[in-house]
Amino acid sequence: DNTPLSVTVTPCDAPLEWKLSLQELPEDTSGEGSGEPEPLEQQRQQIVHEEGTELFSYKGNDVEYFISSSSPSGLYQLELLSTEKDTHFKVYATTTPESDQPYPELPYDPRVDVTSLGRTTVTLAWKPSPTASLLKQPIQYCVVINKEHNFKSLCAVEAKLSADDAFMMAPKPGLDFSPFDFAHFGFPSENPGKERSFLAKPAPKLGRHVYWRPKVDIQKICIGNKNIFTVSDLKPDTQYYFDVFVANSNSNTSTAYVGTFARTKEEAKQKTVELKDGKVSDVFVKRKGAKFLRFAPVSSHQKVTLFIHSCLDAIQIQVRRDGKLLLSQNVEGIRQFQLRGKPKAKYVIRLKGHKKGASMLKILATTRPSKQPFPSLPEDTRIKAFDKLRTCSSATVAWLGTQERNKFCIYKKEVDDSYNEDQKRREQNQCLGPDTRKKSEKVLCKYFHSQNLQKAVTTETIKGLLPGKSYLLDVYVIGHGGHSVKYQSKVVKTRKF
């Protein structure tokens, strides 16, 4: 009688309608007048016919509480209705709210602030709970991240995390109730023996795999008593909701701060490199990276010639004209593409790097192919070695030319016997010209061409080699603009005897 009363209801998940009513006891507590209070059951029978006084009612999914500093004695009845779906809730009632203080307190400013925002990270900060500092109670903060909405209670988060399997397991009315296990509802049983004596047989373990569970996109991280936290591994340009809960480890209760939300920054926009008509551009593409180039010819044009020299690994190229895909290919070494032109057309070239390593390339787009600074190349840029013409001190090789007169230079370099194709490819940046070679490695330079492509072939015998050694041979063709292109390297081995 006249004691304080506090009742707190925490809906976990679905909204609840609840009301607290009071039925005061009749004055005459007992027929005998012995002064002994009657058992609750008898009290209830006496007053069941009366309608109680409603003290408080609430509809929604907030954590709501009724508190009164002085309450008459009587039977307090809490009635709850879940209108949307099966759900569960927590309730805490006490007549000693002052000394209990089961719920951790929030600071005067209970907001969670976003202090920094990146593409994949967000840093949160909040003011510490007075429960830790003043009352010296053991508390910890839990941060919850999800993409849908803010949460009002930690048990709502836990309900979401356990993805409704409690309710998926609940039997349909009318079925055998034995598999139903109240522990799923978050009520640990005080005395399991007594509570479950109504089960004739032990509850069969239900196979979890029977139920399809949607993937829950929600993360809960408890971080001790720090009040600043950086969330990482987020997706760029995505809205996230952040909640912080302060939990009292002793009473296993928690209080929600006012949550917040933020959108991570978007990926850095790709800078587009403008290609100038007839000018060679050097492009570096990171491993697995991508680069965008744009070519907008000034003059009206019949066609566009695209000249690509991939210096290291293969690179994937895609060309779109006004959004329409014209070309998609992997390019190794040197390739030339002819694209049909269109008045006022704009071309976007996307270069995608290789999985193995970074790519370097020289690229040229032109509407006047006759004026290009690159030398023209034959279809086949291999060097052929004549096995029968090998001697102990010389090797004979041949390579193809074109109808245009070009300058060719051949270089040699001694390598180990173990030197293989892979090494050859890795070591050699094909875009490096003869100017990067030692003078001592140069064999000779010569000009040749032939109007008849069948005859545009030259042979060369490289003398002064040592017996039984391997040599790496390189042929460079040098264009009018001084740009050189290297043929595919060849390793030849002189005879030992």
Side-chain angles (χ1 to χ4, degrees), residues 48-188:
V48 119
H49 55 273
E50 289 178 40
E51 192 53 49
T53 320
E54 189 179 296
L55 300 174
F56 184 83
S57 69
Y58 171 75
K59 286 181 186 182
N61 57 0
D62 280 343
V63 178
E64 197 48 84
Y65 54 89
F66 164 81
I67 189 152
S68 148
S69 53
S70 162
S71 303
S73 59
L75 190 69
Y76 287 79
Q77 190 164 316
L78 179 64
E79 235 179 288
L80 301 102
L81 179 65
S82 176
T83 51
E84 283 186 16
K85 57 176 183 177
D86 291 354
T87 187
H88 55 284
F89 61 92
K90 289 190 174 195
V91 60
Y92 187 91
T94 178
T95 51
T96 53
E98 275 306 300
S99 55
D100 284 16
Q101 288 203 310
Y103 288 90
E105 272 186 79
L106 291 179
Y108 65 92
D109 174 5
R111 288 172 307 180
V112 176
D113 291 317
V114 172
T115 57
S116 85
L117 195 58
R119 288 184 307 119
T120 59
T121 58
V122 171
T123 301
L124 308 168
W126 55 92
K127 301 203 167 44
S129 155
T131 302
S133 46
L134 301 176
L135 303 171
K136 299 281 179 277
Q137 294 218 5
I139 60 128
Q140 72 161 337
Y141 298 102
C142 294
V143 179
V144 172
I145 307 111
N146 82 105
K147 290 187 201 164
E148 285 169 27
H149 52 74
N150 287 106
F151 283 95
K152 300 193 169 155
S153 68
L154 201 48
C155 80
V157 171
E158 277 146 14
K160 190 83 169 176
L161 277 171
S162 63
D164 298 340
D165 45 339
F167 307 112
M168 298 170 108
M169 290 197 170
K172 299 266 184 305
L175 291 179
D176 175 16
F177 255 64
S178 62
F180 194 65
D181 179 351
F182 286 96
H184 277 302
F185 280 101
F187 300 127

Side-chain angles (χ1 to χ4, degrees), residues 93-280:
T94 178
T95 51
T96 53
E98 275 306 300
S99 55
D100 284 16
Q101 288 203 310
Y103 288 90
E105 272 186 79
L106 291 179
Y108 65 92
D109 174 5
R111 288 172 307 180
V112 176
D113 291 317
V114 172
T115 57
S116 85
L117 195 58
R119 288 184 307 119
T120 59
T121 58
V122 171
T123 301
L124 308 168
W126 55 92
K127 301 203 167 44
S129 155
T131 302
S133 46
L134 301 176
L135 303 171
K136 299 281 179 277
Q137 294 218 5
I139 60 128
Q140 72 161 337
Y141 298 102
C142 294
V143 179
V144 172
I145 307 111
N146 82 105
K147 290 187 201 164
E148 285 169 27
H149 52 74
N150 287 106
F151 283 95
K152 300 193 169 155
S153 68
L154 201 48
C155 80
V157 171
E158 277 146 14
K160 190 83 169 176
L161 277 171
S162 63
D164 298 340
D165 45 339
F167 307 112
M168 298 170 108
M169 290 197 170
K172 299 266 184 305
L175 291 179
D176 175 16
F177 255 64
S178 62
F180 194 65
D181 179 351
F182 286 96
H184 277 302
F185 280 101
F187 300 127
S189 53
E190 305 299 312
N191 184 341
K194 262 206 197 104
E195 188 166 302
R196 302 225 187 121
S197 53
F198 69 90
L199 297 185
K201 50 188 191 294
K205 277 271 182 289
L206 274 180
R208 290 255 164 143
H209 60 274
V210 179
Y211 301 100
W212 177 77
R213 281 178 63 174
K215 169 122 176 48
V216 185
D217 203 357
I218 178 172
Q219 237 189 321
K220 172 185 156 199
I221 308 154
C222 293
I223 57 165
N225 57 8
K226 297 202 305 276
N227 60 323
I228 184 162
F229 183 67
T230 299
V231 186
S232 51
D233 294 334
L234 300 174
K235 290 196 175 77
D237 195 21
T238 306
Q239 174 118 323
Y240 287 93
Y241 294 85
F242 304 100
D243 289 295
V244 172
F245 299 94
V246 51
N248 180 335
S249 331
N250 282 355
S251 62
N252 201 15
T253 54
S254 58
T255 310
Y257 276 72
V258 177
T260 186
F261 57 87
R263 194 171 195 90
T264 48
K265 289 190 172 162
E266 50 189 299
E267 288 282 13
K269 282 274 182 283
Q270 280 288 351
K271 283 213 285 289
T272 306
V273 180
E274 290 287 341
L275 292 178
K276 296 248 189 327
D277 200 334
K279 286 260 190 314
V280 179

Side-chain angles (χ1 to χ4, degrees), residues 189-449:
S189 53
E190 305 299 312
N191 184 341
K194 262 206 197 104
E195 188 166 302
R196 302 225 187 121
S197 53
F198 69 90
L199 297 185
K201 50 188 191 294
K205 277 271 182 289
L206 274 180
R208 290 255 164 143
H209 60 274
V210 179
Y211 301 100
W212 177 77
R213 281 178 63 174
K215 169 122 176 48
V216 185
D217 203 357
I218 178 172
Q219 237 189 321
K220 172 185 156 199
I221 308 154
C222 293
I223 57 165
N225 57 8
K226 297 202 305 276
N227 60 323
I228 184 162
F229 183 67
T230 299
V231 186
S232 51
D233 294 334
L234 300 174
K235 290 196 175 77
D237 195 21
T238 306
Q239 174 118 323
Y240 287 93
Y241 294 85
F242 304 100
D243 289 295
V244 172
F245 299 94
V246 51
N248 180 335
S249 331
N250 282 355
S251 62
N252 201 15
T253 54
S254 58
T255 310
Y257 276 72
V258 177
T260 186
F261 57 87
R263 194 171 195 90
T264 48
K265 289 190 172 162
E266 50 189 299
E267 288 282 13
K269 282 274 182 283
Q270 280 288 351
K271 283 213 285 289
T272 306
V273 180
E274 290 287 341
L275 292 178
K276 296 248 189 327
D277 200 334
K279 286 260 190 314
V280 179
S281 297
D282 290 299
V283 182
F284 177 77
V285 184
K286 286 197 292 213
R287 184 173 92 92
K288 291 182 171 175
K291 273 272 167 72
F292 289 88
L293 317 174
R294 196 167 155 274
F295 180 51
V298 183
S299 53
S300 61
H301 55 286
Q302 300 288 301
K303 56 176 179 262
V304 169
T305 305
L306 201 57
F307 198 95
I308 292 163
H309 187 175
S310 175
C311 313
L312 294 165
D313 261 316
I315 190 143
Q316 188 197 30
I317 175 169
Q318 279 188 350
V319 182
R320 290 178 189 275
R321 182 186 61 212
D322 298 334
K324 182 171 173 251
L325 188 66
L326 299 184
L327 168 77
S328 179
Q329 284 212 9
N330 279 331
V331 174
E332 256 188 294
I334 294 189
R335 292 294 297 279
Q336 191 171 330
F337 299 104
Q338 295 276 2
L339 307 172
R340 290 253 304 279
K342 224 184 180 181
K344 297 200 173 90
K346 290 183 178 53
Y347 300 82
V348 173
I349 301 155
R350 175 177 178 266
L351 301 168
K352 192 164 186 314
H354 202 276
K355 290 197 284 287
K356 286 194 204 136
S359 302
M360 278 174 67
L361 53 138
K362 288 184 180 291
I363 186 163
L364 167 85
T366 178
T367 53
R368 304 187 299 279
S370 57
K371 284 205 155 160
Q372 53 144 338
F374 273 101
S376 55
L377 284 173
E379 283 290 298
D380 188 345
T381 58
R382 287 176 304 179
I383 300 170
K384 181 170 168 44
F386 298 99
D387 198 43
K388 295 216 168 84
L389 301 179
R390 276 190 312 150
T391 71
C392 295
S393 63
S394 74
T396 302
V397 292
W399 65 90
L400 297 176
T402 58
Q403 289 174 329
E404 286 162 35
R405 187 163 176 270
N406 274 326
K407 180 184 179 184
F408 295 87
C409 296
I410 184 161
Y411 283 74
K412 69 172 196 299
K413 175 183 163 187
E414 194 184 317
V415 291
D416 289 346
D417 284 352
S418 61
Y419 194 86
N420 58 18
E421 286 299 310
D422 256 9
Q423 245 171 313
K424 191 165 81 185
R425 230 179 61 221
R426 260 207 313 275
E427 233 175 57
Q428 296 201 317
N429 176 344
Q430 284 198 309
C431 297
L432 297 176
D435 48 341
T436 61
R437 301 294 295 256
K438 291 183 184 148
K439 282 215 166 70
S440 59
E441 294 174 355
K442 183 174 174 177
V443 179
L444 65 101
C445 290
K446 67 195 239 181
Y447 286 90
F448 83 94
H449 70 289

Side-chain angles (χ1 to χ4, degrees), residues 13-63:
D13 195 14
L16 292 177
E17 292 181 17
W18 62 270
K19 70 172 185 199
L20 183 68
S21 51
L22 160 66
Q23 290 174 331
E24 291 196 46
L25 294 182
E27 286 306 308
D28 177 16
T29 352
S30 105
E32 271 71 74
S34 66
E36 286 296 309
E38 293 171 354
L40 188 62
E41 270 314 301
Q42 277 169 271
Q43 293 182 16
R44 181 176 297 172
Q45 280 159 12
Q46 288 179 5
I47 52 180
V48 119
H49 55 273
E50 289 178 40
E51 192 53 49
T53 320
E54 189 179 296
L55 300 174
F56 184 83
S57 69
Y58 171 75
K59 286 181 186 182
N61 57 0
D62 280 343
V63 178

